[in-house]
Every structure is written in structure tokens, then in C-alpha cells.
Amino acid sequence: MAELPLLTSVDGSITHSDQALLPLPDDGFFRGDGVFEVMRCYAGRPFALGEHLDRMERSADALDLPVDREAVEEDLADLLRRVEGQDCLLRIVATRAGRRVVSIEPLPAHPASVSLATVTYSTTVILSGVKSLSYAANMQATRIARKAGADEALLVTADGLVLEPPTSTLFWVSGTGSLRTTDTDAGVLDSITRRRVIEGCDVEVGSFDLDDLLAASEAFLASTTREIQAVSEVDGRPIPTDPAPETHEAARVFAAAVEMGNGDS
């Protein structure tokens, strides 16, 4: 198969990504004032494209940011013709200056399991549920967790309620045997991968203490790039990864959703 072309479209003009230019000034760059989406392509076909664009429009509406969806769809179509049936990521960015940026990116490599360290975090009500470009706090949380010896952060509230990792959704099996995840009312992102797991598995959605997670018999992350990834440890406390029947079931459910093309448009 041909090498994945690393290309970027800026307002419909396609160049190699390392040659793409963003005209300035633009508060999308200066202040993180913009929105984005990242979707996965399987054999050149974007998964849940319509849902990603719908969420991008909701994020933009929350920031009073005009986005020309039709133009974005045209930019995507132009880039997809260059992918030639390969697996990759597509990143879409809309900035305050009205720029449309769409990039082809390689899939990141993720290990079979991941360790987490909790980082206290206060959600911002104004940006609740918004995929904005203001991700500095999320990235700093990951750096804090890595300094603590973990692979990734787990955001928790000051009073010990579980939120989410910076770029994924957390699921776990409680001591009662219930598969659980945090409700979006708490300020966590309405992840599209999360939706597929909830639709295909018996999931209890609510507000849960960190102690409930620490007593889990298994746990996993769900995201566009990770798909389903087992969690092996939280704050130094091991969590079993084998056997992990709910993790395997979630992986099966998501793989079936991809095979069926659920949500694609």
C-alpha cells in the first residue's frame, strides 16, 4: 500500500502538512479560540462523520463561532480522495478568523493497557461539552500524571468525583458488577466512541466517587484513537486486565459498530 500522504487543507488549498500556512492574526492560534474534531478513517472511510460534524457545529454554536459545514465537507472530500483506502486520522479545525483546517494524520500507537494518575480538575461551565482549541489544561494534566509515573491523567473533582481522562472516556466495573461511566452532566465530553459502548453494553451512567473506581474489577478507556484500551492501574492500585470480560465485550461492540458503519454519512 502507498505511504500515507500527510496533507493539510487550509481553506480548501491542499499542501504537504509541513508546508501548510495559517494567515495571522488569528485568535484561534493566539488564544485557542476555535473548535476541532478528530475522526478515524478505516480503509479510507471516516467513521461517524455526520456525528463528528454535528458535534463540531454544537461546539461552534456554543462559542458563537460561524462554521461553513458545506465547505468543511468539501475540504474533507478532497483530502479523502488522497487517502487511497488507508487507515488514518482526519483532524478538522475551525478558527475565530474563519479559517478551515483539515489534516490527514497517522494513527498513534497505543499499548494494550494504560496506567492512570488522578489530577484534580475544575470543569469550566462555559466550555462544558465543547471541543475547543483551549486544551492546555488537558495537556498539562497528562504531563502531571507522567511526572507521577503514570501513562495518562484521570481528571477528578476537588471532592473526589470521577470525571474523565484528558482525551478519552473512562468505563469501569464496580464492586457490584455494574459497568459504569460518568454522566455528561458532570461536564465530560459526549464522546462518539462512548456513545457506541453505551448503546451496545449495559452501562450505568451517573456521578461516582473515586473510591468506587479504585475498587473496580476492570476498567478501560474509549476514544477515537484508542478505540478500547484496558486500564491496568489507577494511582498505583492495580486493576485486573485479564480476565476482563466487559472490556472485551466493549471492544467487540465497538468493532461491530465500525463494521456496520454506524453513524457514517
Side-chain angles (χ1 to χ4, degrees), residues 68-237:
D68 185 343
R69 176 165 176 162
E70 183 175 344
V72 169
E73 290 174 335
E74 291 175 358
D75 296 344
L76 282 167
D78 287 342
L79 275 185
L80 282 170
R81 282 191 279 271
R82 317 289 183 97
V83 171
E84 298 180 348
Q86 299 185 67
D87 294 346
C88 65
L89 297 180
L90 286 175
R91 183 180 302 271
I92 312 169
V93 176
T95 74
R96 178 57 60 183
R99 302 297 175 187
R100 306 184 315 274
V101 182
V102 184
S103 294
I104 299 171
E105 299 178 4
L107 292 171
H110 289 298
S113 63
V114 61
S115 61
L116 305 179
T118 56
V119 176
T120 302
Y121 182 81
S122 180
T123 58
T124 302
V125 175
I126 290 175
L127 294 180
S128 180
V130 174
K131 281 184 73 73
S132 80
L133 297 178
S134 305
Y135 252 54
N138 301 60
M139 299 301 97
Q140 180 61 10
T142 294
R143 288 187 286 269
I144 291 170
R146 289 177 179 169
K147 287 178 183 178
D151 300 313
E152 182 59 282
L154 171 62
L155 306 179
V156 299
T157 66
D159 52 356
L161 295 179
V162 176
L163 293 173
E164 62 186 342
T167 60
S168 59
T169 299
L170 175 67
F171 292 82
W172 69 95
V173 178
S174 72
T176 64
S178 299
L179 180 61
R180 291 177 168 173
T181 196
T182 302
D183 198 313
T184 55
D185 288 347
V188 304
L189 185 70
D190 183 16
S191 158
I192 290 166
T193 310
R194 172 186 184 273
R195 287 186 207 167
R196 293 298 186 273
V197 174
I198 291 174
E199 289 166 358
C201 301
D202 185 10
V203 181
E204 183 181 355
V205 178
S207 180
F208 305 104
D209 291 327
L210 177 60
D211 287 345
D212 189 74
L213 168 63
L214 295 177
S217 59
E218 59 179 294
F220 60 88
L221 305 185
S223 77
T224 292
T225 64
R226 299 171 189 272
E227 297 180 320
I228 305 299
Q229 183 184 31
V231 173
S232 60
E233 182 181 295
V234 177
D235 284 347
R237 184 171 300 190

Side-chain angles (χ1 to χ4, degrees), residues 6 11 19-20 22 71 99 146 158 168 216 220 225 249 259:
L6 302 182
D11 296 337
Q19 297 173 4
L22 182 67
R99 302 297 175 187
R146 289 177 179 169
S168 59
F220 60 88
T225 64
E249 176 63 10
E259 183 69 22

